[in-house]
Amino acid sequence: MVSFSVEFDNRQRYVLGDSAMHRMAQSYVFLSGLGGLGVEIAKNIVLAGVKAVTLHDTKQCETWDLGTNFFIREEDVLSQRKRVEAVHPRVAELNPYVQVGKSSCVLDENTDLSFLRTYQCVILTEASLSLQKKINNFCHSQSPPIKFISCDVFGVCARVFCDFGDAFEVSDPTGEEPKQVFIQNITQDNPGVVMCMDNRTHGLQTGQSVLFREVYGMTELNGTCRQVTVLTPYSFTIGDTSGMQAYAHGGFFVQVKIPQTCCFERMEQQLLDPKVLVPDFSKPEVPLQIHATLLALDSFQQQHHRLPNTGCPQDAEILLKMTDGVNHTLKSKVSIDQDLVRTLSRTAGGCLAPLCAAVGGIASQEVLKALTGKFTPLQQWVGCGAIGCEMLKNFALLGVGLISITDPDLIEKSNLNRQFLFRPHHIQKPKSTTAAAATQDINPQLQIDAHLNKVCPATESIYNDRFYSRLHVVVTALDNVEARRYVDSRIVSNQKPLLDSGTMGTKGHTEVIVPNLTESYNSHRDPPEEEIPFCTLKSFPAVTEHTIQWARDKFESAFSHKPSIYNMFWQTHSSAESVLERMKARESLEGSFQVIKLLSRRPTHWEHCVTLARIKFDKYFKRKALQLLHSFPLDTRLKDGSLFWQSPKRPPSPIEFDLKDPLHYSFVVSAARLFAEIYNISYSEKDLSEEEVARILSGMKIPEYKPAEKRIETDEMAKKPDQTKLSVSSEEEREAIAQLERAIYWLRMTPILFEKDDDSNGHMDFVASASALRARMYSIEAADRLKTKRIAGKIIPAIATATASVAGLVAVELIKVVGGYGFESFKNCFFNLAIPVVVLTEPANVKRTRIRDNISFSIWDRWTIQGHEDFTLSDFMNAVREKYGIEPTMVVHGVKMLYVPVMPGHSKRLKLTMQKLVKPSTERYVDLTVSFAPELEGDEDLPGPPVRYCFSGDKPEDRA
């Protein structure tokens, strides 16, 4: 029996899936070498949740370990502890579900390797090449093969090697969730051509297979799997369909994941003819150059029993000759990069913590692939040269001076499997202050200023220009696009470098933004998220995501939005007696629609909550279907003669309530609990029992529903109507008055904030049951609770391996930024460890906008005008003209137009002082948008950079 913590591995489960998690939780791993790279791998695989890990190392703690190994402390060095003794307990406490063992036995060419047969994966770091080859040969020869991974970091260079045996089966090469694509047409031909509906891209590749469902006419395809040949992004062929019935309408296809078999060669074979991953397509020769140089370094160590001495030119020349010799033995020879060889000779004795983090993340993901068969493994080498908690750890090891961090969130149990600074006893404590304290354990000399604020315009008084003036670099790991854009606007305004990063599952990205060198984050626009049309959510769901979003919206509307509107109404109308009189007089009150609705249906005790939930069941899952089928009978046709109810529209089927059905019971009980909470009604555990709910409902009579003659929205462009402007019936108004008379002081409801992670609160019970019932009503395959929780809770899948890699890459770029490196040295990165793909690109060069022949500006430019108390708008415009040589034509502050010549009365403003036109902020300056006169009369005004006007004449930076 194998188990793992559902809560602990929450976001990782969305990356790996339960099947892979179970396989991983049965696996034993051996890891040798606990330097900076080894401890990174240990951290990642223990957080991931393998069955057991044995940590092996024979070395003592040394001073230089403090700069790379975040689990070694100064007292460990002073007491001359073995590295494995110091690291073991700190790794073990990362995950109580993993058995962490330790060993300090000698492991060399004379060691009997039979003890390795108990492990499914062996990882070597800091091992000689001869030992790597011996252990690799042993692992490859076992049946089944023991998966073997070796990796090293030497100075600015690194490598990873994988060998998973002659025939390693991959169950899911990409890990991407297959998407359901609706069909427009299928030709009756050889080969038959499938067209996607509404020009939706299919995302397929030739050779992949798809499964067909719900096809009308060409029914022979339903339930069959066909291999595709891609024609366009919107069409593909599926073989001979000429003998099938003609396609009528409807249907969809889903990609079928076909297992793949990967063949690996032993290290001895791969050394001379390596298969390498190319991260930078502008420099495809670099991985082989690094491979040859590191093989030469192996030879140097074998001959001299040491690494090259730092700064020793003789050692560099020896290494250069060795590299040339190695190159001649390779099957594919490369041109030797002498600068690379000399740089490696100079730095090989050191170890760069961020590079350890990046490579450790990559290697750790290969370990998880080896254990689970999920994702495409690395075949077989990656070589390279040079987020949140991970970044702090890297900054601590690098010795960064002062770090200011902010995070408004509290630590949750689900954070523990990827945010390694946190432990179970930290749950419900602030992330920022806890992370700061844990980081100072790694480096006690580090200064950290921890905040609990959200990054948004509301906190601008805290994170003002004075705050930014103290910073050298801004580093963000935000999952909110608007927050990213806001930070970007602030760093552009304050001329600060920004290192942005993020992850989603096994994918990650880093972006370097440097003043006056690169474009900013706001220079490019991500494609907008595809919104589900209102009519689709309301009446015509087609896929599981639609039913989940509908359920989530119902929760928000009934239990959060409406109670909030109710409370806001009573804050405006504090006198219930006055409202009662005005309602009796049928006077219209703004916002009264929802208030009257809520008052007219207000339950007063638990039984009322249950009956209200039962009425909602009928409304959502029976009456809605009856109304739709009344408005659009099954044989309804459109103007062109086609059926109304055809794919992607699905006709609903009314659901009759049955308390014995677990879904029905779950919906009624969870809805009743939520109604009780917003109306402040108490209940007991006994009240939630099936017997008690059945007793309450037994005497309830549900009136027969008669469909109304009303218009149902079918336009996909239509927006949701404003609920506050709808009218109520006179019956509802009378009932609301009666309720108000009976409960004149009952003027408060309790809005509920959706909380996905507390299974005891009934929130996910409501969303999951409501979504599944709606899916059943429309004959859609319902999602399980895990998927429902991910979509409803907007959970971003996460795994420690990707987080570590991103953080390491960011810290490498930090070194370049602080070191004042040139534009050509900076690299943006996108990776997907699942495939695996790593792509390094240069940042976009900053663009300049021409105003006149000799005048241009970029996003980083800001012109400045110094003013004084009597400085007028006319003075301002003259000052701009004299200082920058161009005539201002229009001045705007935010949305306020200060001067537009064609606007009536604006010419009089030229005599007004700037202080009168624009109220000075606490910063004593304002940023203005100024347009300039075109070169040719009749042309449009020309844009310019922001113009900062300083009221008192002193520059903002002088007051920082």
Side-chain angles (χ1 to χ4, degrees), residues 448-599:
I448 303 185
D449 180 21
H451 299 250
L452 305 177
N453 304 307
K454 195 172 185 177
V455 178
C456 62
T459 57
E460 195 160 323
S461 60
I462 301 170
Y463 303 121
N464 53 25
D465 289 346
R466 293 188 182 185
F467 172 83
Y468 279 98
S469 69
R470 297 162 48 207
L471 306 178
H472 290 96
V473 186
V474 177
V475 182
T476 56
L478 299 166
D479 55 14
N480 181 288
V481 172
E482 292 309 313
R484 276 180 168 156
R485 296 203 181 285
Y486 170 71
V487 171
D488 183 80
S489 67
R490 301 297 291 149
I491 67 105
V492 169
S493 175
N494 288 275
Q495 301 278 300
K496 299 296 176 184
L498 171 66
L499 302 175
D500 181 55
S501 64
T503 66
M504 179 179 287
T506 58
K507 302 183 184 77
H509 79 272
T510 63
E511 183 174 6
V512 187
I513 297 169
V514 183
N516 302 308
L517 291 181
T518 72
E519 293 283 84
S520 75
Y521 183 83
N522 282 323
S523 299
H524 54 79
R525 285 283 171 182
D526 297 326
E529 289 188 20
E530 190 174 329
E531 291 187 1
I532 305 172
F534 168 67
C535 69
T536 300
L537 279 180
K538 185 174 176 61
S539 303
F540 308 112
V543 294
T544 306
E545 287 77 7
H546 297 165
T547 69
I548 296 171
Q549 189 59 54
W550 173 87
R552 180 69 177 83
D553 288 352
K554 287 298 177 189
F555 181 99
E556 197 67 25
S557 173
F559 308 119
S560 180
H561 183 64
K562 289 178 181 177
S564 297
I565 288 178
Y566 183 90
N567 290 343
M568 288 171 62
F569 179 87
W570 289 113
Q571 288 172 3
T572 305
H573 306 280
S574 56
S575 170
E577 292 87 349
S578 171
V579 170
L580 181 58
E581 291 303 317
R582 294 170 70 178
M583 287 177 67
K584 285 180 178 179
R586 302 190 63 79
E587 184 179 338
S588 177
L589 296 174
E590 186 178 353
S592 62
F593 169 77
Q594 295 291 2
V595 173
I596 293 172
K597 286 271 189 185
L598 292 166
L599 279 172

Side-chain angles (χ1 to χ4, degrees), residues 39 69-73 76 86-87 90-91 94 420 423:
V39 78
N69 191 318
F70 45 86
F71 280 149
I72 290 179
R73 305 288 180 261
D76 299 323
V87 168
R90 292 161 186 152
V91 171
L94 289 173
F420 85 103
R423 303 291 180 269

Side-chain angles (χ1 to χ4, degrees), residues 717-919:
M717 303 304 292
K719 302 297 182 183
K720 186 176 181 179
D722 187 349
Q723 296 288 323
T724 62
K725 295 181 179 178
L726 301 180
S727 59
V728 294
S729 67
S730 56
E731 183 181 343
E732 287 175 321
E733 201 165 51
R734 284 195 297 272
E735 180 58 30
I737 291 171
Q739 285 280 8
L740 198 54
E741 286 175 330
R742 289 195 296 268
I744 200 74
Y745 298 108
W746 188 84
L747 305 177
R748 185 78 186 169
M749 293 180 72
T750 305
I752 300 174
L753 184 66
F754 180 71
E755 175 48 66
K756 64 187 183 300
D757 292 323
D758 182 359
D759 285 337
S760 67
N761 61 17
H763 297 190
M764 274 306 304
D765 292 338
F766 174 86
V767 172
S769 60
S771 170
L773 284 164
R774 188 163 175 86
R776 183 184 295 179
M777 175 175 144
Y778 282 93
S779 301
I780 297 171
E781 185 177 350
D784 59 21
R785 188 182 178 95
L786 187 68
K787 180 176 179 179
T788 303
K789 182 176 179 178
R790 173 176 64 81
I791 295 173
K794 298 181 179 179
I795 296 173
I796 299 175
I799 192 166
T801 52
T803 306
S805 294
V806 156
L809 292 166
V810 165
V812 169
E813 297 306 312
L814 174 68
I815 294 171
K816 300 175 188 177
V817 170
V818 175
Y821 284 61
F823 174 82
E824 65 283 351
S825 69
F826 297 113
K827 294 292 180 183
N828 291 340
C829 181
F830 168 80
F831 65 74
N832 185 348
L833 300 183
I835 302 178
V837 164
V838 180
V839 179
L840 299 172
T841 59
E842 286 188 355
N845 210 331
V846 64
K847 296 176 182 176
R848 299 199 66 81
T849 301
R850 174 183 171 278
I851 304 178
R852 294 281 176 83
D853 285 339
N854 59 340
I855 306 174
S856 64
F857 68 95
S858 77
I859 55 168
W860 296 102
D861 289 323
R862 184 180 62 225
W863 294 352
T864 304
I865 296 297
Q866 311 296 330
H868 51 74
E869 188 175 350
D870 299 323
F871 212 73
T872 65
L873 178 57
S874 179
D875 294 333
F876 170 80
M877 297 181 71
N878 289 334
V880 172
R881 182 177 61 252
E882 291 171 8
K883 186 173 182 179
Y884 297 105
I886 192 166
E887 182 74 33
T889 55
M890 186 170 67
V891 182
V892 177
H893 177 229
V895 296
K896 182 182 178 182
M897 292 183 288
L898 301 184
Y899 178 71
V900 181
V902 297
M903 295 293 287
H906 274 219
S907 59
K908 296 179 181 178
R909 294 185 177 181
L910 292 171
K911 297 179 181 179
L912 298 178
T913 65
M914 294 296 286
Q915 290 201 26
K916 188 174 184 65
L917 285 169
V918 185
K919 185 178 179 181

Side-chain angles (χ1 to χ4, degrees), residues 233-537:
Y234 320 102
S235 65
F236 54 88
T237 64
I238 55 170
D240 190 0
T241 60
S242 59
M244 299 182 184
Q245 300 177 71
Y247 173 80
H249 64 83
F252 62 87
F253 61 85
V254 179
Q255 183 189 345
V256 177
K257 296 292 183 77
I258 305 296
Q260 297 179 358
T261 300
C262 298
C263 179
F264 289 81
E265 294 179 340
R266 300 178 190 228
M267 179 178 278
E268 284 182 333
Q269 297 167 278
Q270 277 288 302
L271 286 173
L272 301 181
D273 187 17
K275 299 176 184 175
V276 294
L277 181 70
V278 179
D280 190 342
F281 293 111
S282 68
K283 301 175 181 177
E285 72 286 353
V286 168
L288 280 176
Q289 290 175 340
I290 291 174
H291 179 76
T293 306
L294 288 176
L295 287 183
L297 185 67
D298 293 320
S299 299
F300 187 101
Q301 289 186 87
Q302 188 175 7
Q303 287 186 22
H304 299 276
H305 306 290
R306 62 174 176 84
L307 289 166
N309 291 319
T310 302
C312 177
Q314 291 83 5
D315 283 357
E317 290 306 311
I318 293 171
L319 186 62
L320 192 58
K321 289 179 181 178
M322 286 183 167
T323 304
D324 187 57
V326 167
N327 188 38
H328 281 85
T329 67
L330 298 180
K331 188 172 182 180
S332 299
K333 296 175 178 56
V334 294
S335 59
I336 301 301
D337 185 340
Q338 295 191 10
D339 288 340
L340 171 66
V341 177
R342 290 192 172 95
T343 300
L344 178 62
S345 177
R346 187 170 65 251
T347 63
C351 188
L352 195 60
L355 194 55
C356 289
V359 175
I362 294 170
S364 303
Q365 189 66 57
E366 296 307 309
V367 175
L368 303 190
K369 294 176 189 178
L371 301 177
T372 65
K374 180 87 178 263
F375 306 135
T376 303
L378 171 68
Q379 290 191 283
Q380 291 188 243
W381 298 86
V382 59
C384 59
I387 243 169
C389 288
E390 293 284 348
M391 290 179 190
L392 288 176
K393 172 260 294 177
N394 288 323
F395 296 164
L397 295 172
L398 287 172
V400 174
L402 170 67
I403 303 175
S404 291
I405 61 174
T406 185
D407 194 319
D409 294 340
L410 301 179
I411 298 165
E412 299 173 358
K413 191 171 185 179
S414 59
N415 296 139
L416 302 183
N417 77 308
R418 65 192 184 283
Q419 298 181 4
F420 85 103
L421 294 180
F422 304 145
R423 303 291 180 269
H425 62 273
H426 292 143
I427 291 172
Q428 289 305 299
K429 291 183 179 179
K431 284 185 177 180
S432 60
T433 54
T434 306
T439 306
Q440 285 176 318
D441 284 342
I442 297 173
N443 184 351
Q445 308 301 318
L446 195 66
Q447 298 180 55
I448 303 185
D449 180 21
H451 299 250
L452 305 177
N453 304 307
K454 195 172 185 177
V455 178
C456 62
T459 57
E460 195 160 323
S461 60
I462 301 170
Y463 303 121
N464 53 25
D465 289 346
R466 293 188 182 185
F467 172 83
Y468 279 98
S469 69
R470 297 162 48 207
L471 306 178
H472 290 96
V473 186
V474 177
V475 182
T476 56
L478 299 166
D479 55 14
N480 181 288
V481 172
E482 292 309 313
R484 276 180 168 156
R485 296 203 181 285
Y486 170 71
V487 171
D488 183 80
S489 67
R490 301 297 291 149
I491 67 105
V492 169
S493 175
N494 288 275
Q495 301 278 300
K496 299 296 176 184
L498 171 66
L499 302 175
D500 181 55
S501 64
T503 66
M504 179 179 287
T506 58
K507 302 183 184 77
H509 79 272
T510 63
E511 183 174 6
V512 187
I513 297 169
V514 183
N516 302 308
L517 291 181
T518 72
E519 293 283 84
S520 75
Y521 183 83
N522 282 323
S523 299
H524 54 79
R525 285 283 171 182
D526 297 326
E529 289 188 20
E530 190 174 329
E531 291 187 1
I532 305 172
F534 168 67
C535 69
T536 300
L537 279 180

